[in-house]
Amino acid sequence: MKASETDILLIPGVGAPHRDHWQNRWSARLGTARRVEQASFTQPDRDVWIETIRKAITEAERPVVLVAHSLGIGAALHALDGAADKVAGGFFVAPPDLTLKGPRKKIFETFGPYPNAPLPFPSITVASQNDIHGSYEHAGDVANAWGSFLVDAGNSGHIDIDSGHGPWPEGTMVFAQFLSRLKPRA
């Protein structure tokens, strides 16, 4: 598929979206991409996030490609109920371990658990070897459960501004290749 044949929904995770974050840069460069805006990125409400994403999917006019980062992945996957038939593919970056102990434990727990079944569309999961919000092994386990192709991003942290990923050209290349291989769903 070409980007012009899709509605690319960029789904951020928790925290105020930084203007230089790779998702914002992609939104500015890809004409059919738009960031799914939530009522609050700093105090995420699971039900509100899921419904906002589901609405964005159902209102899309072309096949949807989900591009979710961090906590946005859990919300996007839960939003598929009743909307999965419009999704042509998923590009998931830095899936957090929703059971991990730490400063965001309560927030992460409310978005879990991840669905533990194959997704009804092709997907790629990009994960880092040193993500503070989840191990590479955990990312491999969830990617395997979803039937998602796992891409090893090396030691890239959480693949966000804090880990130096503003432009993220490697991600752009992987996404472009993924998008070119997608086919519209019947």
Side-chain angles (χ1 to χ4, degrees), residues 29-158:
R29 286 198 328 254
L30 296 167
T32 62
R34 68 180 176 89
R35 190 172 75 187
V36 176
E37 297 295 337
Q38 296 291 355
S40 174
F41 284 108
T42 57
Q43 296 181 328
D45 180 305
R46 179 186 193 271
D47 295 334
V48 171
W49 275 36
I50 290 169
E51 188 52 39
T52 300
I53 295 166
R54 185 177 296 128
K55 184 177 181 202
I57 294 170
T58 58
E59 289 177 351
E61 296 178 5
R62 294 175 289 258
V64 171
V65 177
L66 302 172
V67 178
H69 180 255
S70 190
L71 195 61
I73 298 168
L77 294 176
H78 289 300
L80 293 174
D81 187 30
D85 59 325
K86 292 194 78 171
V87 179
F91 190 80
F92 307 125
V93 180
D97 183 341
L98 301 177
T99 65
L100 196 64
K101 295 183 180 358
R104 293 184 173 167
K105 178 178 174 32
K106 285 190 183 244
I107 294 171
F108 283 4
E109 281 181 336
T110 63
F111 282 78
Y114 287 121
N116 196 22
L119 298 174
F121 49 79
S123 64
I124 284 183
T125 300
V126 179
S128 169
Q129 292 284 342
N130 63 342
D131 189 336
I132 62 169
H133 296 299
S135 70
Y136 185 76
E137 292 74 23
H138 174 266
D141 290 345
V142 295
N144 188 52
W146 302 333
S148 184
F149 182 77
L150 181 64
V151 174
D152 184 345
N155 290 327
S156 299
H158 194 53

Side-chain angles (χ1 to χ4, degrees), residues 3-20:
S4 61
E5 300 169 335
T6 67
D7 281 328
I8 300 168
L9 298 181
L10 302 163
I11 304 165
V14 68
H18 192 281
R19 64 180 173 83
D20 288 332

